[in-house]
Structure formats: structure tokens, C-alpha cells
Amino acid sequence: MKPTALSLSGRERTFPPDEIIVSKTDPQGRLTYVNDVFLMVAGYTEDDLIGRPHNIIRHPAMPRTVFRLMWRTVREGREIFAYVNNRASNGDHYWVLAHVTPNLAADGTIAGYHSSRRAPRRAAVERVDALYGRLRAAEIAAGDGEAGMAASARLLDEVLQGEGMGYDRFVLGL
Ligand SMILES: Cc1cc2nc3c(=O)[nH]c(=O)nc-3n(C[C@H](O)[C@H](O)[C@H](O)COP(=O)(O)O)c2cc1C
């Protein structure tokens, strides 16, 4: 069921502002729970998703550096807010503002992760789309490996320094 080539329709899906898309994963990022809104918006069944890596809904336009920042933050036991463009099963895309948190076990180790996502405001999507486009272009220009990730991380730092804030405050201020 792994797609060989990622088809993209160019169509955007939206979801109502009072709905929340929820998923939970194990410590490796494999899905352990998805709610009905997730299934409806992403266009999958529970059977398609449970046990699969969360990157099943990864959109190829998303900069790698954003996921690296996300993983680094939650692995350290901290929360992160991030804008993410996701790919639905039919190739449509949908933007979310995600709040990703680690679930800590009683002994303090990480038992898994949790993400709740709301529909972002249009003006925020436009700004993030432009920023992510620049980051992704920097990654591709540098070969889309580690060098690309370093280049886009530098670019993100520059943009955030220009704004005088970290990624979280930037995201929440949009
Ligand atoms: C709780 C949680 C939620 C996540 N949600 C998403 C998501 O909605 N979309 C997405 O593309 N990646 C999400 N990720 C990140 C993926 O695990 C993965 O890092 C990302 O899709 C990039 O895939 P790649 O490393 O194969 O390029 C999530 C990770 C965690 C732990």
C-alpha cells in the first residue's frame, strides 16, 4: 500500500474551525490512534493508518527542517506548535496548525507523542506557505540531504532573527 509516486491534485481541503484533528504515536512516530476527523480529512480508514509511520501523510512540499525541529523539540520532552501542510490519500492537501506534545511515562521516559490540529487562518497559511517554499527550495538546491537541511535551517534562523523571535513565538503570532 506504499505509494510508488506521490500524486498531487493541487486541490486544497479545509475543515471547520471547531473541529480538531487528533493522532497519537508510539516513540518511533508510528500511529497508535487517529480520530474520526483525521480519517475524514486525510481520506484514510483506521486500518490504513494504525501501525504505520506518521509520514504517510507527509506532503513533498514540506521542508525537512520543520520536521527535524519538531522531532528535536518533542524528543527533549517539550511541546511545539507548527504549521504543517499534509497530503490526503487522493493527493489533495490540507494545512493545519499542530500542537505536538510528548506523553511521559511514570518513570519520565517518553511513552509516545500526541498531536492536536486546528484549521489555520488563511492569512497565516499564506505567510507560512511562502516561508516554507523558500526553505524547501534551499533544501532542494543543496541536494535535499544533510547539506540541504543545514541550508534551510540557516535560512529559517535568519528569518526568525529578522523577526526577533523563535519558531514557536513566530508561529503563534501569525
Ligand atoms: C505526534 C506526531 C504527529 C505528527 N504529525 C505529522 C503530520 O501531521 N504530518 C506530517 O507530515 N508529519 C507528521 N509528523 C512527523 C513525521 O513523523 C515525519 O517526521 C514527517 O512526516 C517527515 O517524514 P520523513 O522524515 O520521512 O521525511 C508527526 C510526528 C509526531 C510524533
Side-chain angles (χ1 to χ4, degrees):
M1 106 137 250
K2 194 173 178 188
T4 43
L6 276 186
S7 59
L8 297 172
S9 70
R11 277 188 307 267
E12 180 170 5
R13 290 185 176 196
T14 54
F15 57 102
D18 56 346
E19 299 273 23
I20 302 181
I21 299 178
V22 180
S23 63
K24 295 181 191 178
T25 74
D26 67 10
Q28 284 71 45
R30 284 184 297 253
L31 288 156
T32 56
Y33 172 82
V34 285
N35 72 348
D36 287 343
V37 188
F38 191 120
L39 297 175
M40 189 185 64
V41 179
Y44 285 102
T45 66
E46 215 170 41
D47 279 353
D48 293 331
L49 297 179
I50 300 301
R52 302 288 308 272
H54 214 311
N55 69 3
I56 190 169
I57 57 165
R58 187 195 200 296
H59 193 289
M62 274 297 291
R64 294 188 186 285
T65 195
V66 171
F67 293 121
R68 177 170 281 192
L69 177 65
M70 177 189 287
W71 271 106
R72 189 174 287 159
T73 307
V74 294
R75 275 205 183 105
E76 286 172 1
R78 294 182 289 125
E79 66 176 1
I80 186 166
F81 290 89
Y83 284 92
V84 182
N85 182 13
N86 283 315
R87 182 184 164 280
S89 61
N90 71 345
D92 292 357
H93 64 276
Y94 60 97
W95 281 94
V96 298
L97 173 54
H99 178 223
V100 190
T101 54
N103 286 334
L104 298 183
D107 65 358
T109 57
I110 290 176
Y113 300 100
H114 181 137
S115 179
S116 314
R117 311 161 179 91
R118 290 235 183 231
R121 289 182 308 112
R122 187 55 19 196
V125 168
E126 277 162 20
R127 284 193 67 195
V128 175
D129 200 11
L131 171 62
Y132 284 7
R134 289 175 64 200
L135 297 177
R136 188 70 190 122
E139 290 174 359
I140 291 167
D144 209 13
E146 274 304 316
M149 200 106 76
S152 69
R154 267 197 309 277
L155 182 55
L156 180 59
D157 276 351
E158 272 168 36
V159 171
L160 294 175
Q161 261 171 33
E163 300 277 343
M165 58 185 79
Y167 181 79
D168 254 38
R169 270 194 53 215
F170 172 73
V171 160
L172 294 175
L174 284 174

